[in-house]
């Protein structure tokens, strides 16, 4: 639970790069939907815009690059000694207005409107504790670039000049907004307008990964990803409700539109260890357009954060491995994050997953899993409050590789009956997760929940290496049998990918060794590695399925 006056409204798919290079759609003041439809416009005989209210709504809007967004801040003044009024509603009744930091002078066009204002506003003078908030619109004071809340504690009247002078002090939204609702996004329910604006978070980005080389102890590998990245966008909406500075409701919703991700890793691996090693590394942050409401009302700084991780082991051998996975999300999926409970409600987020072939270019015993992670992070600050929230998509692909040998052929369905082979048990899938924390407390999340997880074990495969039984490789010179080379694993340089590391040579079996009596069983080879340079590469048979 979130209790007390905590700092709580920032949303992080971490904001450093966004602050430096990201752009923000700055929403501009708009009239209320009622006023825009002509039902509450100031007329010569209508002075209701001068009434002091207990509730007032302020709207902002904007569009850029074909995307539109709306913001709605509704302020409540529930106390008997407080009220609020928007100058935008009665400004057409004024001849002029002048402001300082401590006063505001309003010159009315005629005596009737002046007398109406005098009768209503003298309420603030009848008790010492009474105040009302007068919100000046953009430019109404001449020097104010944005809407400016002004706390009025006293009013002076000049009947001869039809002038009202209010005294008090210029303030800010954070100070005057103690009880309010804030709604920001592209949903038409924001203002119930005829138009249907749409604000979305751009998710069209390539994975920022060139070839990476990693050395961890006795592990060396390179890693890259061809045509990897994300597509689509997320519709976004944010809601905040506060009573007397205490949060009563904080929520965010996301829904995908055409969201998909491709992950096609290639790995060059050279290692000899029996334990497991894992790591995750950030690849980069891509700032995307956010939203701001000037005057400290709202700052939304989204970005897409890419990272990749691996889990390896045990591994014996040197080989190149490639695979791939594609995922897609349904447009009907909906996600609602409640940050006051906290809780997550998700529907329709089970992704579609499609596989790409697993290939290996040399004999290797290994367990490999690679993952990419694309996180939509929102850094959102409203009226001085903050949270950090991230929603991530994590496709992964991997396999277990077991070296096998048989004089009858390591792979039963291999027509060439290669003596050595690698059995491959592939798997792939995707995880979708939500995390949230209060601003500045990222290490202690208030929410961490999986919204979908799909793992697809795939049919096993077997890839053959080396010459068939009883048929020595004619390209190899005959050698005396060696106990070391006859129990090694074979690496095919003919089919090795450019990423495969070659810092330590892979052993090759001696094809001149007389084959044993043909048997149908499969045995795991010894893990002893030869450090001598391999002989001419044997042929490689790919893609044969295990029986």
């Amino acid at each position: 639970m979130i209790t007390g006056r905590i700092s709580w409204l920032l949303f992080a798919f971490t904001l450093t790069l966004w602050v430096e290079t990201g752009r923000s759609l700055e929403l501009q003041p708009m009239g209320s939907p009622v006023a825009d439809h002509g039902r509450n416009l100031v007329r010569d005989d209508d002075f209701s815009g001068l009434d002091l209210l207990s509730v007032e709504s302020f709207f902002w809007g904007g569009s850029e690059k074909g995307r539109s967004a709306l913001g709605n801040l509704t302020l409540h003044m529930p106390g008997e000694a407080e009220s609020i009024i928007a100058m935008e509603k009665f400004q057409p009744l004024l001849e002029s207005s002048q402001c300082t930091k401590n006063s505001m002078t309003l010159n009315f066009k005629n005596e009737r409107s002046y007398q109406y204002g005098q009768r209503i506003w003298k309420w603030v003078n009848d008790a010492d504790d009474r105040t009302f908030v007068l919100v000046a619109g953009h430019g109404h004071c001449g020097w104010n670039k944005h809407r400016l809340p002004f706390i009025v504690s006293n009013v002076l009247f000049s009947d001869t000049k039809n002038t009202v002078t209010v005294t008090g002090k210029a303030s800010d939204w954070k100070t005057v907004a103690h009880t309010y609702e804030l709604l920001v996004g592209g949903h038409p329910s924001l203002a119930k307008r005829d138009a249907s604006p749409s604000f979305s978070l751009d998710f069209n980005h390539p994975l920022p990964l060139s070839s990476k080389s990693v050395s961890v102890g006795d592990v060396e590998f390179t890693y890259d990803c061809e045509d990897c990245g994300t597509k689509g966008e997320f519709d976004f909406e944010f809601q905040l409700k506060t009573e007397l500075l205490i949060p009563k409701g904080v929520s965010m919703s996301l829904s995908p539109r055409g969201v998909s991700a491709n992950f096609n890793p290639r790995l060059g691996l050279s290692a000899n260890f029996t334990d497991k090693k894992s790591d995750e590394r950030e690849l980069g942050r891509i700032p995307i357009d956010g939203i701001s409401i000037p005057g400290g009302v709202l700052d939304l700084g989204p970005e897409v954060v890419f990272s990749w991780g691996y889990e390896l082991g045990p591994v014996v051998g040197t080989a190149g491995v490639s695979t791939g996975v594609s995922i897609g999300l349904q447009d009907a999926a909906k996600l609602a994050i409640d940050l006051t409970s906290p809780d997550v409600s998700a529907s329709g987020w089970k992704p579609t997953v499609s596989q790409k072939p697993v290939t290996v270019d040399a004999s290797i015993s290994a367990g490999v899993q690679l993952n990419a992670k694309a996180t939509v992070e929102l850094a959102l600050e409203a009226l001085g409050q903050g949270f950090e929230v991230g929603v991530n998509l994590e496709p992964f692909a991997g396999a277990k590789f077991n070296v096998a040998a048989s004089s009858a052929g390591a792979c039963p369905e291999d027509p060439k009956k290669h003596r050595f082979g690698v059995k491959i048990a592939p798997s792939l899938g995707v995880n979708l997760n939500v995390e949230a924390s209060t601003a500045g407390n990222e290490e202690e999340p208030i929410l961490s929940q999986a919204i979908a997880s799909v793992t697809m074990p795939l049919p096993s495969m077997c890839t053959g290496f080396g010459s068939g039984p009883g048929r020595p490789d004619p390209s190899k010179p005959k050698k005396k049998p060696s106990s070391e080379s006859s129990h090694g694993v074979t690496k095919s340089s003919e089919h090795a990918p450019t990423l495969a590391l070659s810092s330590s040579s892979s052993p090759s079996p001696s094809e001149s060794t007389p084959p044993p009596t043909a048997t149908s069983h499969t045995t795991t080879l010894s893990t002893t590695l030869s450090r001598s340079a391999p002989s001419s590469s044997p042929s490689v048979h790919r893609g044969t399925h295990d029986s």
Side-chain angles (χ1 to χ4, degrees):
M1 294 293 293
I2 305 176
T3 59
R5 296 185 182 181
I6 58 177
S7 182
W8 52 275
L9 202 172
L10 256 179
F11 282 79
F13 298 67
T14 305
L15 189 57
T16 303
L17 284 179
W18 180 82
V19 170
E20 293 178 353
T21 62
R23 296 186 60 192
S24 180
L25 171 61
E26 183 176 290
L27 304 188
Q28 301 300 317
M30 300 172 61
S32 70
V34 174
D36 284 353
H37 283 83
R39 294 193 295 270
N40 197 34
L41 295 175
V42 176
R43 303 187 304 269
D44 291 341
D45 58 347
D46 180 7
F47 307 131
S48 60
L50 294 166
D51 291 342
L52 300 180
L53 306 175
S54 60
V55 180
E56 184 61 280
S57 294
F58 299 90
F59 294 82
W60 290 264
S63 61
E64 188 177 66
K65 300 178 182 178
R67 302 181 304 145
S68 299
L70 291 174
N72 175 7
L73 174 63
T74 299
L75 296 185
H76 296 261
M77 299 293 169
E80 294 182 358
E82 59 180 354
S83 293
I84 187 169
I85 184 172
M87 189 171 172
E88 291 164 345
K89 288 186 175 181
F90 66 84
Q91 198 273 339
L93 299 174
L94 301 178
E95 189 71 45
S96 63
S97 57
Q98 299 85 35
C99 308
T100 69
K101 293 293 184 180
N102 300 307
S103 67
M104 186 181 299
T105 301
L106 309 174
N107 301 303
F108 283 82
K109 290 181 178 179
N110 59 63
E111 185 176 355
R112 291 178 61 202
S113 58
Y114 162 75
Q115 289 177 344
Y116 188 96
Q118 181 184 42
R119 178 164 51 87
I120 298 297
W121 292 8
K122 69 182 183 62
W123 165 87
V124 76
N125 296 337
D126 294 340
D128 291 341
D129 62 341
R130 289 182 179 178
T131 61
F132 67 86
V133 176
L134 173 57
V135 179
H138 166 66
H140 286 172
C141 289
W143 46 266
N144 64 312
K145 296 182 179 179
H146 312 295
R147 283 171 169 156
L148 175 67
F150 196 92
I151 300 176
V152 177
S153 57
N154 191 58
V155 181
L156 302 174
F157 303 99
S158 175
D159 295 342
T160 58
K161 297 181 179 180
N162 294 331
T163 298
V164 175
T165 301
V166 300
T167 60
K169 60 180 179 180
S171 187
D172 55 57
W173 291 105
K174 181 180 176 181
T175 300
V176 303
H178 57 73
T179 302
Y180 60 88
E181 293 104 26
L182 175 64
L183 182 59
V184 181
H187 198 281
S189 65
L190 283 172
K192 294 184 174 60
R193 294 170 176 264
D194 296 333
S196 297
S198 176
F199 176 79
S200 57
L201 304 173
D202 182 18
F203 204 52
N204 293 284
H205 304 286
L207 189 70
L209 176 67
S210 57
S211 178
K212 297 284 184 180
S213 298
V214 180
S215 295
V216 183
D218 52 358
V219 181
E220 296 180 45
F221 64 91
T222 57
Y223 171 58
D224 79 350
C225 212
E226 182 180 358
D227 190 28
C228 294
T230 57
K231 295 181 179 180
E233 55 193 7
F234 286 94
D235 287 336
F236 164 81
E237 187 172 288
F238 170 75
Q239 295 181 336
L240 165 64
K241 183 177 181 179
T242 299
E243 294 181 10
L244 299 176
L245 300 178
I246 303 299
K248 297 297 182 179
V250 187
S251 64
M252 185 189 78
S253 65
L254 284 175
S255 56
R257 283 199 291 162
V259 171
S260 63
N262 287 322
F263 180 49
N264 310 299
R266 293 199 305 260
L267 178 70
L269 182 64
S270 177
N272 181 12
F273 65 95
T274 57
D275 57 351
K276 289 187 176 182
K277 300 181 185 295
S278 62
D279 193 12
E280 183 172 298
R281 304 187 179 200
E282 186 176 301
L283 295 174
R285 295 171 174 263
I286 301 176
I288 56 180
D289 291 350
I291 303 175
S292 67
I293 298 178
V297 177
L298 174 78
D299 243 325
L300 169 65
E303 58 185 359
V304 176
V305 181
F306 286 103
S307 57
W308 68 276
Y310 64 87
E311 182 175 303
L312 305 173
V315 177
V316 177
T318 299
V321 178
S322 65
T323 183
V325 58
S326 294
I327 67 170
L329 299 180
Q330 303 177 44
D331 286 357
K334 296 183 181 301
L335 174 67
I337 305 172
D338 185 346
L339 294 169
T340 48
S341 297
D343 194 15
V344 173
S345 174
S347 63
W349 281 79
K350 185 176 181 180
T352 59
V353 183
S354 58
Q355 71 175 96
K356 297 183 180 180
V358 180
T359 61
V360 60
D361 66 59
S363 297
I364 189 170
S365 290
V368 176
Q369 180 168 300
L370 304 173
N371 70 276
K373 186 183 293 184
T375 303
V376 183
E377 292 192 348
L378 299 179
L380 190 153
E381 186 173 1
L383 300 169
Q385 310 291 348
F387 268 113
E388 295 191 350
V389 172
V391 178
N392 67 65
L393 285 72
E394 183 182 0
F396 61 84
K400 291 185 177 179
F401 304 92
N402 291 310
V403 179
S406 173
S407 58
C411 301
E413 295 186 6
D414 179 2
K416 294 186 177 180
K417 300 299 181 183
H418 291 90
R419 182 176 179 184
F420 301 98
V422 176
K423 287 191 172 183
I424 306 170
S427 64
L428 53 84
V430 60
N431 296 317
L432 284 80
N433 304 285
V434 174
E435 286 195 357
S437 62
T438 57
N441 296 308
E442 298 85 353
E443 301 302 321
E444 299 180 5
I446 59 173
L447 175 66
S448 181
Q449 186 170 327
I451 56 177
S453 182
V454 176
T455 300
M456 297 177 58
L458 303 172
S460 61
M461 306 167 57
C462 189
T463 297
F465 297 90
S467 299
R471 299 191 304 275
D473 190 336
S475 65
K476 282 193 171 186
K478 291 186 178 181
K479 299 180 181 179
K480 291 184 178 181
S482 167
S483 60
E484 184 180 54
S485 63
S486 63
H487 296 287
V489 291
T490 303
K491 176 179 183 300
S492 170
S493 59
E494 178 184 357
H495 297 274
T498 57
L499 285 180
L501 292 180
S502 302
S503 57
S504 60
S505 300
S506 298
S508 58
S510 173
E511 296 299 336
S512 62
T513 304
T517 304
T519 58
S520 60
H521 68 277
T522 301
T523 58
T524 300
L525 291 181
S526 165
T527 59
T528 303
L529 294 179
S530 168
R531 297 303 175 187
S532 59
S535 304
S536 300
S537 301
S539 61
V540 177
H541 176 72
R542 298 177 183 271
T544 309
H545 288 273
D546 196 3
S547 57

